[in-house]
Amino acid sequence: MAGPVFSAFEKSGLPMVATDPRTPDNPIVYVNEAFCRITGYSPEEAVGRNCRFLQALGVNQDTITLIREAITAGRAISAELLNRRKDGSEFWNHLFITPIASGESEPQFFLATQVDVTQAYESRNAQAALEASQRELDQTNERLRLTLTVAGTGGSWDWDITKGRFTADARFAALHDLDSAEATEGLPAEAFFKAIHPDDRRRIRLAVGGILNGAEIFSKEYRLLASDGSVRWALARGRCHYGDDERPLKFTGVVTDITEQKHVEERLRIAQSAGGIGTFEYVDGYATVNVSEEFCRLLGLHSSYVLPVRTVNALIEPGDRALVEQSSSEGASYVEFRIRRADNKELRWLARRGEYVRDAETAGLRFIGVIYDITAAKESEARLRELNERLENRVEERTRERDRLWSLSSDLFSVCDSGGYLNAVNPAWTELLGYQEEEIVGTRIDSWIHEEDRALGDSLLQSLQQGRAVTDIDLRVPAKDGSYRWINWTFAPSEDVFYSVGRDVTQRKQLEDQLRQSQKMEAVGQLTGGIAHDFNNLLTGIVGSLDLLQSRMAQGRLERLDRYINAATTSANRAAALTHRLLAFARRQPLDPKPVAVNRLILSMEELLRRTMSESIQLRITADDDLPLTLCDPNQLESAILNLAINARDAMLHGGILTIETSITNLDRLYVASQQEVSPGRYITISVSDTGTGMPADVLAQAFDPFFTTKPLGEGTGLGLSMVYGFAKQSEGHVRIYSEVGRGTTVKIYLPCHAGELEGDAPTSASTESYRAGAGETVLVVEDEPVVRSLILEVLADLGYQALEAMDGPSGLKILESKQRIDLLVSDVGLPGLNGRQLADHARLVRPHLKVLFITGYAEQAAIASGFLAPGMEMITKPFAIEDLAARIREIIAKS
């Protein structure tokens, strides 16, 4: 680009200098002929040197500094300097320095024009000449800008006013849809307007007419309509040149395609309008400000591009900072202020944000900024402040209430960390427990828990360490006087601490204990009445049969005595069954748990169950093939299933379906949490379902209660379901009833799965004679009931054993500590003074291999035989058959 530009400078009568900022010290690379005339230096003497060699000794250093800053920043500057010619004479030089670039970010050259303005400083009479020189400088600068534009992307024209023709370059011709060759040779003046959009043509004609009639400057934007129908925007800037007679001779200028700029401006205008953002620019010291359409709308003013500063600032509310304000500092700025809109006098809040920058043309400060409406935000802030004030007042009041509650509450308030260490406690700890605050703070919460509640305390501490809340847990806490108080605790986590509330529920616990005792006594009363009724009936059968037997024998009538014996035996067996049922319900019936294959047991009962059912009832058995074993007393399980089947039969008077089904069920923690004494895990489920009458809710709630029955008097004892319940609980299982009136009942027994193996089949029974004693075999019988003791001794004598007897534990221990041969100890469990197990344990100290057979009718410690018996010990339950006793004695002694 330098070649065409410098060639144009040669034709200029104005002194010009070009420097290269890309070379160190920004040296001169070009001077024109006019420069040589004004300074006296030839091009060879000037090129390669910095322009400072022209400076006189008295030059203004502030001006030098401004020039250096402008050159460093790459912007134009206008300044006056005192220079010195080659001959030593001084002159005042008016400089206009401008950067020249070719589409790049940094300038390739700095071009400086020079005008000798010495006369302006020497005499006021030279003012007219100075103004003429200034006009010439402005014209030259304008021609320079036009020349630079021609070298870039714009097009130029030269209109000969006297001839009415104009010439234009190829760029102008392309923009105006003209033939470039014809434009170079010359076209009629009318061709200038040919491509201008019809809506803009009249406006441009008037502007050109003004130039032809004496106006100096032409600068207009207009649209160009191409032959293909496309529209582009152009910016034309020109100047009229006059002859000596002040008549216009030429009209020259340049035109630039600003279509993209217009698109950007339109997008910016839409964005500003949509976002409610107005823009403005203000040059420090000027009386007007350039504004956008949205700027005017925000202030309630008619749309304009330029507004007086005074008009804008007059809308600001008194006491607020001005929208457009004088400043001598650079940098960013943010201001909030109120305005009274010009159109409707509405009060609005606006914000101004922008930056001060150095103006390239004037070297002064230019503020470029935006304004936007913040009324809604200010109103929200006001409401928020009001809410905050009310909230602060409320919080303050709540804080006072909290402090009063902390101080006056009778509940135990405390704050502890996740490790359970107490950080703060309220005065209620002192009032209720008697401890001072310093005795409590710093201790761990589990140190305040009764020893018997240690398991719950450990669970509480674990929950705190895991950050989990704890609710509704009752624990005993020791008071300073040695007593204990029941406290119901709640712990709630908040950030890294726990807030706890402990309420004294000691009185409630005492009332609950009293209620339980009352309910227990009521149940005992019901139980006693039921037992008395049933046992009186059974005893009547026993006593009556024995009386008749005695009477017939006294009369010598010995025929058919067996019917009285059978009647008494039947009543006695029924009494034993009743006792077993009671013990099963109370979970005190001694069990003999064994690995049981439930499917095999149920299938073995099929024939019995079918005989028990009526012909109108269909029996269905559905078994899970992959069922594992369970550990329980098989006899009790058979009895439970039979009881449930009989109940189902009685509920289906007109026939139906009895279904017995086995499966595996997983009871999860969620389920067991809603039950009592149930552990999570895998269970074998035995379901007994009928299609009978079902049970209403009130009957269902009492189904497991002892002696509760819906059958007529004399047809049921009310112990069937209670026995099933007791058996399931005693076997560490669970039982549930599901029933609906008219749709039948399902009872489910849950028994824990067992990983053991089946035991071998029991040996077949033999006659009493096969149980006779060997030579010299001796049995010690310890029994406090004389009738039972004599019965056992008689049986042993009949079998050939040498029998020894003792009526209590201490007397039995004396015999055991002697040298007497004893092959077997037969002892009641419930002996006075020294019970059977204690007796056996003492005896084994002197007789380590002593074999023991316990006899029991009821014993809490013997509820589960496998948990009570040591190796070499067995148990038989009262009442027992003589043959069973003989078999067990022989079997135990015979074991090696």
Side-chain angles (χ1 to χ4, degrees), residues 627-648:
L627 207 66
L629 300 179
T630 186
L631 188 67
C632 68
D633 189 322
N635 296 325
Q636 291 291 335
L637 179 57
E638 286 182 352
S639 179
I641 294 173
L642 183 60
N643 267 300
L644 295 178
I646 291 173
N647 285 347

Side-chain angles (χ1 to χ4, degrees), residues 140-172:
T140 303
N141 288 338
E142 181 64 21
R143 286 196 297 271
L144 172 61
R145 283 193 290 272
L146 295 177
T147 302
L148 294 175
T149 304
V150 171
T153 60
S156 63
W157 79 85
D158 191 333
W159 187 332
D160 190 332
I161 297 174
T162 58
K163 295 181 180 179
R165 293 179 66 82
F166 77 95
T167 58
D169 61 10
R171 293 183 181 275
F172 184 96

Side-chain angles (χ1 to χ4, degrees), residues 306-573:
V306 179
L307 289 173
V309 173
R310 184 172 56 186
T311 300
V312 172
N313 286 339
L315 301 174
I316 306 299
E317 283 291 288
D320 289 1
R321 287 181 60 176
L323 196 162
V324 180
E325 55 187 357
Q326 302 290 333
S327 176
S328 58
S329 62
E330 301 183 28
S333 170
Y334 177 80
V335 177
E336 294 179 356
F337 50 86
R338 294 165 298 165
I339 64 161
R340 188 74 64 176
R341 287 177 59 95
D343 51 359
N344 56 14
K345 305 305 178 184
E346 180 184 1
L347 184 68
R348 307 292 295 180
W349 273 96
L350 298 182
R352 181 199 74 198
R353 190 184 296 277
E355 290 187 8
Y356 291 96
V357 297
R358 285 289 174 182
D359 184 63
E361 296 181 3
T362 65
L365 284 174
R366 175 187 295 271
F367 185 85
I368 303 174
V370 298
I371 61 171
Y372 46 93
D373 194 305
I374 57 171
T375 305
K378 283 295 184 180
E379 291 174 350
S380 297
E381 286 178 7
R383 289 194 296 270
L384 183 60
R385 278 195 301 272
E386 183 180 353
L387 286 173
N388 283 338
E389 291 174 359
R390 291 205 297 265
L391 181 60
E392 287 175 1
N393 294 335
R394 213 175 302 169
V395 168
E396 186 178 352
E397 178 60 29
R398 292 288 175 86
T399 302
R400 288 195 294 268
E401 292 177 1
R402 183 204 63 191
D403 292 342
R404 287 195 295 269
L405 181 63
W406 176 272
S407 301
L408 301 178
S409 176
S410 60
D411 292 337
L412 303 181
F413 292 165
S414 63
V415 182
C416 68
D417 59 23
S418 58
Y421 288 94
L422 295 165
N423 299 329
V425 295
N426 71 331
W429 286 73
T430 302
E431 296 173 8
L432 181 64
L433 303 176
Y435 297 98
Q436 297 301 315
E437 181 179 356
E438 56 270 17
E439 296 179 85
I440 304 170
V441 172
T443 62
R444 205 165 69 172
I445 188 68
D446 60 339
S447 64
W448 299 95
I449 296 175
H450 193 284
E451 188 65 32
E452 294 180 7
D453 298 337
R454 180 61 59 190
L456 279 176
D458 293 341
S459 176
L460 166 64
L461 194 60
Q462 185 178 7
S463 297
L464 296 181
Q465 291 170 346
Q466 295 174 355
R468 293 187 285 110
V470 177
T471 58
D472 195 23
I473 178 173
D474 291 341
L475 296 169
R476 281 168 290 182
V477 176
K480 198 166 187 177
D481 60 7
S483 63
Y484 282 89
R485 309 294 296 180
W486 277 100
I487 306 296
N488 180 268
W489 291 101
T490 295
F491 290 80
S494 177
E495 296 178 353
D496 58 346
V497 297
F498 281 82
Y499 293 90
S500 65
V501 178
R503 176 156 296 177
D504 185 2
V505 293
T506 305
Q507 186 176 8
R508 187 198 74 188
K509 285 289 186 178
Q510 293 171 348
L511 292 174
E512 288 176 355
D513 289 341
Q514 294 173 8
L515 177 61
R516 277 194 295 270
Q517 182 65 22
S518 174
Q519 292 172 337
K520 185 186 297 183
M521 295 308 296
E522 182 181 355
V524 168
Q526 294 176 351
L527 185 62
T528 303
I531 292 173
H533 176 270
D534 278 11
F535 263 96
N536 283 336
N537 288 337
L538 297 172
L539 290 174
T540 299
I542 296 171
V543 173
S545 297
L546 294 177
D547 284 346
L548 286 174
L549 179 62
Q550 186 178 17
S551 175
R552 292 293 184 268
M553 292 179 66
Q555 296 171 2
R557 299 168 57 183
L558 303 180
E559 70 279 1
R560 301 183 64 185
L561 294 179
D562 57 337
R563 65 176 180 172
Y564 303 119
I565 297 172
N566 290 336
T569 302
T570 300
S571 295
N573 288 335

Side-chain angles (χ1 to χ4, degrees), residues 279 289-297 301-308:
T279 61
V289 56
N290 296 328
V291 299
S292 68
E293 181 179 345
E294 186 65 18
F295 182 97
C296 297
R297 191 194 67 77
L301 297 168
H302 293 295
S303 181
S304 175
Y305 294 109
V306 179
L307 289 173

